[in-house]
Amino acid sequence: MKKQVLSVFFLFVSQICWAQFKLFSGTPVTITCDISEKQVVNTALDLFSRDCQTVFSAPLQRSKKGNIIIGTAGKSSLLERYIDDVAVLKGKKQAFLLKVLPDNRLLIVGSDKHGTAYGIMELSRLIGVSPWEWWADVTPKKRNSFELPLGYEMLQFPSVEYRGVFINDEDWGLMPWSGNTYEPTTVKGEIGPRTNARVFELLLRLRANTYWPAMHECTQPFFLTKGNREVAAKYGIYIGGSHCEPMACSTAGEWPKRGKGDYNYVSNKEAVYKFWEERVKEVAEQEILYTIGMRGIHDGQMQGAKTAEEQKTVLERVLKDQRALLRKYANKDIEAVPQVFIPYKEVLYAYNAGLKVPEDVTLMWCDDNYGYIRHFPDKVEQERKGGNGVYYHVSYWGRPHDYLWLGTFSPALLYQQMKLAYDRGIQKIWILNVGDIKPAEYQIELFMDMAWDMEQVKKGGITAHLDNFLRREFGDKIGSHLVPIMLEHYRLAYIRKPEFMGNTRVEEKSPVYKVVKDLPWSEMEINQRLIAYSNLSDMVDAIGRTIPTNRENAYFELVKYPVQAATQMNRKLLSAQLARHGKAEWAQSDAAYDSITVLTQQYNALEDGKWKGLMDFQPRKLPVFMRVAKTIAVDSMLVERLATYKWNAMEYTFGEPIPCEGLGYEGKAAAIRKGTALSFEFEDWQSDSIEVDIRLLPNHPIEDEKLRFALSVDEVEKIISYATQGRSEEWKMNVLRNQAIRKVTFPIRKNGKHLLSIKALDEGVVLDQIRLYSN
């Protein structure tokens, strides 16, 4: 009897152990998939086939009884026997299910064509293929086998419906690289279908679905380039446009070629209307996310209307006519046509003047180009049928200074602002200005992961997300060692980006802003920063010697170049500042410039010249990027004023802050809820007055255009506002140094214990640091 029980037990265990989905090296991967599946599904299968060949040295083959069953719910007859399994997809857009069946086969089902494609790409991830396998040369590792256990089930669907990137300021990177290296062409400024296919492949692997094409005048417009439309359809990509690119028209590049007269809807309505009509007719069957409204050519004000009231009147006519075109050519059910209206610059004034935007249209809000969102939807805007979107920058050309080069945008700031945006109802469209894609790889993935599954990213936070990224690309051991290095790299750049180290500005009339000059830092501060960067560079070199051969180029692109180029940029400018005061040799600055040159040459030579022309360490040839001119300082170097007390927000004595992981000068900033306070206790003050230096995140109001706090020392309280308007001088200073600063003096009694408190009077107050000085 015991033997029979044991036999049954071992048979049961054996069945459990053997009941699993498996793939083996050298053995064809067989799939069962209806030939009627949409194009993007077959595109995903082509990518997965390539991945199988790379990982398993095995082809992908179709079979009536494949070990992977693939289909789209409600479209594929193959799924009739799995109705109960796919029920979880009902009512969800772009969702997918992966499930290991009792017969050891894997079921991949999408709620629609996009969901099915994402499900296939998820299997690529599971077998070890990074989304960056081509764009960052993360060569997949060979595997002998791969398995999933019986009962394995994964259901995923997006948090944000439309997720994508905007290729912008492409003049020094993507455009010349495409036309000269990757896809040689005789057409000036052309970014062709071969290049766009690679961009769209990346988006598909990142589970993104939207693309705003490059639109500078130097670039041949997307729809005027043969093959681009077709490749977008192949990858299931919605094509959209920025705040000045309505109706799928790249106005800056297309109006001089297709338009007649002035781009003016007041004096030249017929020509402008025809300009839009031709494009809508052409792309009516394409997946388009239509931007509606109107601005001037490129990033300029609308012609023919000066005041906000005049602009409002013209825009009302524009919106009516544009939607009539969409009804006529795209879909009679206008609410079935995805549309977005972007209240930006002068268009925002018209919107605030009472412009009525149809309820089904998504309102898209913008950051201030430096990562701080300017407007969050109010209750009425949150309840709109069309929802809300955001256009966000991790790369920027413009005032007060560009940051187009190194991709050092703070992941902690991106996480804090986009989480706040999501929580405030911005959940329909997320578009990220990525410049040339490289070297903003990590920021792109973080943005897309948050847009895909906000709750999953929130569970671990920013450090855990970065840790997962680095471990995936470089293995557990190396990845874990890289986390603190990259966190410190981003923290130092948060304090001041490499592009801002010359204390110069762009687009300013005064020539003083074109001259590299001292930053307001003491010799001690400068040396501390130089040491911090030197330590990072040394650690990057040490780890680099342990990197496997198949990941050496990925390491250079994702870690070595950004960290060491930032290190050398700081050395170049800070050594020059010391040299101006006779405290360093000019040779140190020159050597740093040479190092940047060599590093960039190495980048452009990677993979036998694959990236030649993509990396330019002198975009726009701005003064900050040049070899520093040797001059002698007229004024003395700043002497650091030592604070009697100094705290980061999270070093509070009393209160209930909202920690902002990794945010702030020392990574310890905290948000303060409206109506609550953080308090800091100190004692034995020796003078009759005290100067309080409050340093906050330079963000914008969340509600009612106000951003205030009450600051008190013992019984004395003062109300302080720090909201900035437009591109004021204060705003420029704030975004360059990444802090809003207020200095307040209080009377104080000597000796005894004291309490300093900062109470938020509005939502959005984020405290970074406090310093106390004796007067």
Side-chain angles (χ1 to χ4, degrees):
M1 183 66 180
K2 286 183 179 180
K3 285 184 179 181
Q4 287 180 326
V5 171
L6 278 173
S7 297
V8 171
F9 172 77
F10 283 121
L11 178 62
F12 175 70
V13 170
S14 175
Q15 287 176 334
I16 292 177
C17 293
W18 285 103
Q20 54 192 347
F21 168 75
K22 279 195 171 186
L23 299 175
F24 296 97
S25 176
T27 303
V29 178
T30 57
I31 64 164
T32 300
C33 183
D34 200 311
I35 58 172
S36 65
E37 287 288 346
K38 297 294 185 180
Q39 191 174 17
V40 67
V41 176
N42 287 297
T43 300
L45 283 173
D46 289 342
L47 295 178
F48 181 60
S49 177
R50 190 178 86 201
D51 296 342
C52 287
Q53 192 63 53
T54 302
V55 174
F56 299 115
S57 301
L60 188 70
Q61 295 180 352
R62 289 180 180 262
S63 168
K64 291 184 178 180
K65 185 95 172 155
N67 57 352
I68 305 174
I69 306 163
I70 298 171
T72 302
K75 304 293 183 182
S76 175
S77 59
L78 298 173
L79 303 178
E80 291 177 358
R81 60 183 293 192
Y82 304 110
I83 291 176
D84 291 340
D85 294 300
V86 304
V88 294
L89 297 173
K90 188 175 182 180
K92 295 180 175 65
K93 295 181 179 180
Q94 304 171 49
F96 67 79
L97 171 72
L98 268 64
K99 184 174 183 177
V100 176
L101 302 170
D103 61 1
N104 297 346
R105 295 198 291 172
L106 177 66
L107 181 67
I108 300 178
V109 187
S111 62
D112 50 36
K113 64 181 183 180
H114 284 95
T116 306
Y118 299 147
I120 296 167
M121 289 293 87
E122 184 63 26
L123 184 54
S124 274
R125 285 191 183 219
L126 291 173
I127 66 173
V129 180
S130 166
W132 298 96
E133 60 92 25
W134 191 86
W135 274 97
D137 298 310
V138 184
T139 307
K141 296 178 182 177
K142 294 286 185 182
R143 300 183 69 142
N144 291 323
S145 64
F146 168 79
E147 60 188 52
L148 293 172
L150 178 65
Y152 176 89
E153 188 169 332
M154 174 190 288
L155 173 66
Q156 292 191 35
F157 50 90
S159 298
V160 177
E161 185 172 352
Y162 297 100
R163 313 161 301 281
V165 301
F166 178 22
I167 298 294
N168 197 24
D169 309 319
E170 67 280 1
D171 311 38
W172 303 275
L174 193 78
M175 185 269 288
W177 167 78
S178 173
N180 296 325
T181 301
Y182 187 67
E183 191 174 5
T185 177
T186 57
V187 179
K188 186 178 179 181
E190 185 174 82
I191 299 176
R194 186 167 183 254
T195 301
N196 280 311
R198 285 298 187 181
V199 177
F200 299 156
E201 175 188 332
L202 175 65
L203 294 181
L204 188 58
R205 290 183 183 276
L206 289 171
R207 298 166 298 214
N209 61 2
T210 307
Y211 184 61
W212 287 3
M215 43 67 72
H216 278 200
E217 289 94 332
C218 65
T219 301
Q220 174 80 350
F222 181 87
F223 282 117
L224 298 188
T225 301
K226 186 178 180 181
N228 279 348
R229 278 185 57 195
E230 291 77 10
V231 80
K234 179 180 177 181
Y235 285 85
I237 301 297
Y238 286 86
I239 300 299
S242 69
H243 49 276
C244 48
E245 308 296 323
M247 304 300 280
C249 297
S250 183
T251 312
E254 291 191 50
W255 183 257
K257 298 179 179 181
R258 296 199 298 116
K260 293 182 180 180
D262 293 331
Y263 188 63
N264 186 321
Y265 213 65
V266 176
S267 63
N268 195 23
K269 175 183 173 181
E270 291 76 14
V272 176
Y273 184 90
K274 183 179 179 182
F275 177 72
W276 293 335
E277 184 179 33
E278 288 174 351
R279 176 53 42 76
V280 176
K281 286 171 65 177
E282 177 189 357
V283 302
E285 301 301 318
Q286 189 105 17
E287 289 179 311
I288 303 288
L289 180 55
Y290 288 96
T291 296
I292 62 173
M294 185 178 187
R295 294 193 68 222
I297 291 179
H298 206 133
D299 195 2
Q301 182 173 318
M302 176 198 306
Q303 296 181 38
K306 295 181 179 179
T307 68
E309 195 61 38
E310 289 175 350
Q311 290 163 356
K312 171 174 167 280
T313 300
V314 175
L315 281 171
E316 285 173 345
R317 192 185 320 151
V318 165
L319 295 179
K320 181 180 177 181
D321 292 348
Q322 288 175 337
R323 283 166 65 83
L325 281 174
L326 295 177
R327 279 194 185 93
K328 182 176 181 181
Y329 295 109
N331 196 324
K332 290 181 180 179
D333 180 6
I334 190 64
E335 294 190 6
V337 181
Q339 303 155 71
V340 58
F341 179 78
I342 307 174
Y344 184 69
K345 291 188 178 179
E346 79 285 346
V347 178
L348 178 60
Y349 300 138
Y351 175 80
N352 289 335
L355 175 68
K356 300 298 181 185
V357 181
E359 276 291 310
D360 59 287
V361 175
T362 302
L363 294 177
M364 181 172 246
W365 309 103
C366 307
D367 71 335
D368 63 359
N369 306 317
Y370 292 82
Y372 297 99
I373 297 172
R374 283 199 175 275
H375 176 89
F376 294 90
D378 59 25
K379 290 183 179 179
V380 173
E381 291 162 343
Q382 286 182 23
E383 293 173 358
R384 288 175 53 86
K385 185 175 182 180
N388 291 268
V390 67
Y391 164 41
Y392 197 80
H393 292 74
V394 293
S395 174
Y396 179 63
W397 169 357
R399 294 176 288 174
H401 202 286
D402 309 354
Y403 58 100
L404 300 171
W405 176 34
L406 275 187
T408 55
F409 190 93
S410 168
L413 177 59
L414 188 157
Y415 176 77
Q416 187 266 347
Q417 287 283 294
M418 296 312 300
K419 178 179 177 297
L420 182 60
Y422 186 83
D423 291 343
R424 288 271 164 175
I426 301 180
Q427 301 178 2
K428 186 72 172 181
I429 306 170
W430 283 18
I431 300 294
L432 186 66
N433 184 326
V434 300
D436 299 307
I437 296 179
K438 301 175 72 64
E441 294 96 338
Y442 176 64
Q443 291 90 340
I444 295 170
E445 177 147 342
L446 173 60
F447 185 91
M448 294 308 165
D449 281 356
M450 292 180 74
W452 177 256
D453 192 342
M454 176 61 76
E455 293 306 316
Q456 183 62 35
V457 178
K458 282 164 63 174
K459 282 180 185 177
I462 184 66
T463 303
H465 187 275
L466 178 62
D467 182 86
N468 290 335
F469 175 83
L470 293 170
R471 286 174 184 266
R472 184 191 71 199
E473 310 304 41
F474 302 111
D476 288 341
K477 184 177 180 180
I478 292 173
S480 64
H481 290 321
L482 285 174
V483 172
I485 293 173
M486 297 308 293
L487 288 175
E488 179 69 353
H489 165 64
Y490 291 127
R491 186 188 73 83
L492 291 170
Y494 175 90
I495 295 170
R496 196 143 188 122
K497 288 183 173 65
E499 295 91 341
F500 302 169
M501 291 302 299
N503 202 9
T504 53
R505 296 192 196 174
V506 301
E507 300 173 23
E508 300 279 7
K509 293 181 180 179
S510 174
V512 70
Y513 290 113
K514 311 300 180 186
V515 179
V516 170
K517 52 190 174 296
D518 286 3
L519 288 165
W521 293 351
S522 69
E523 182 180 359
M524 184 174 73
E525 288 176 291
I526 288 172
N527 284 324
Q528 287 175 341
R529 188 171 175 90
L530 286 172
I531 290 169
Y533 265 116
S534 182
N535 289 339
L536 285 185
S537 183
D538 290 345
M539 287 188 283
V540 165
D541 271 339
I543 292 175
R545 291 190 286 271
T546 70
I547 297 293
T549 303
N550 70 335
R551 294 295 166 91
E552 286 179 345
N553 289 345
Y555 185 75
F556 187 92
E557 295 165 46
L558 297 174
V559 178
K560 186 178 174 69
Y561 184 81
V563 171
Q564 294 196 335
T567 298
Q568 297 301 337
M569 189 67 164
N570 276 264
R571 282 179 180 167
K572 185 185 81 170
L573 277 308
L574 294 180
S575 294
Q577 180 164 337
L578 293 175
R580 282 192 291 271
H581 294 270
K583 297 179 180 294
E585 298 295 329
W586 278 103
Q588 294 172 292
S589 178
D590 286 339
Y593 175 89
D594 293 337
S595 293
I596 294 171
T597 302
V598 171
L599 281 166
T600 307
Q601 289 171 346
Q602 290 174 349
Y603 199 118
N604 286 299
L606 292 174
E607 297 280 328
D608 296 322
K610 175 181 176 180
W611 303 115
K612 184 180 180 182
L614 184 65
M615 186 56 62
D616 185 339
F617 74 94
Q618 296 179 326
R620 289 222 285 164
K621 306 298 180 186
L622 298 178
V624 70
F625 298 122
M626 305 305 169
R627 197 181 294 273
V628 183
K630 298 173 176 60
T631 59
I632 299 174
V634 176
D635 300 321
S636 299
M637 182 171 280
L638 178 73
V639 177
E640 184 173 9
R641 186 182 179 194
L642 297 178
T644 307
Y645 286 92
K646 176 183 174 182
W647 300 287
N648 293 296
M650 288 305 296
E651 294 166 344
Y652 63 95
T653 310
F654 307 109
E656 295 182 358
I658 304 171
C660 297
E661 183 187 4
L663 196 59
Y665 269 39
E666 294 182 14
K668 298 178 181 178
I672 307 174
R673 294 179 180 87
K674 180 180 178 180
T676 68
L678 284 187
S679 300
F680 301 80
E681 199 171 59
F682 61 102
E683 58 187 7
D684 297 331
W685 198 257
Q686 298 301 309
S687 63
D688 295 325
S689 65
I690 182 171
E691 181 183 320
V692 182
D693 185 322
I694 296 284
R695 304 185 173 209
L696 307 107
L697 205 69
N699 55 301
H700 302 287
I702 292 179
E703 300 171 347
D704 302 325
E705 305 304 316
K706 294 179 181 179
L707 198 53
R708 302 165 301 158
F709 61 90
L711 180 64
S712 64
V713 174
D714 297 334
E715 295 80 24
V716 181
E717 181 180 86
K718 297 185 179 182
I719 307 300
I720 299 165
S721 172
Y722 65 104
T724 55
Q725 300 299 320
R727 296 187 177 189
S728 65
E729 177 62 19
E730 182 182 4
W731 170 78
K732 292 175 184 177
M733 292 291 291
N734 285 355
V735 295
L736 288 171
R737 69 189 172 204
N738 243 337
Q739 281 186 334
I741 300 176
R742 287 289 183 270
K743 296 182 180 181
V744 188
T745 300
F746 290 88
I748 189 172
R749 68 180 187 277
K750 293 183 180 179
N751 303 320
K753 288 189 175 182
H754 303 275
L755 194 67
L756 180 149
S757 294
I758 174 170
K759 180 180 179 180
L761 302 181
D762 301 294
E763 290 292 349
V765 175
V766 181
L767 177 63
D768 188 1
Q769 296 177 315
I770 300 175
R771 297 176 182 179
L772 305 185
Y773 299 98
S774 296
N775 282 334

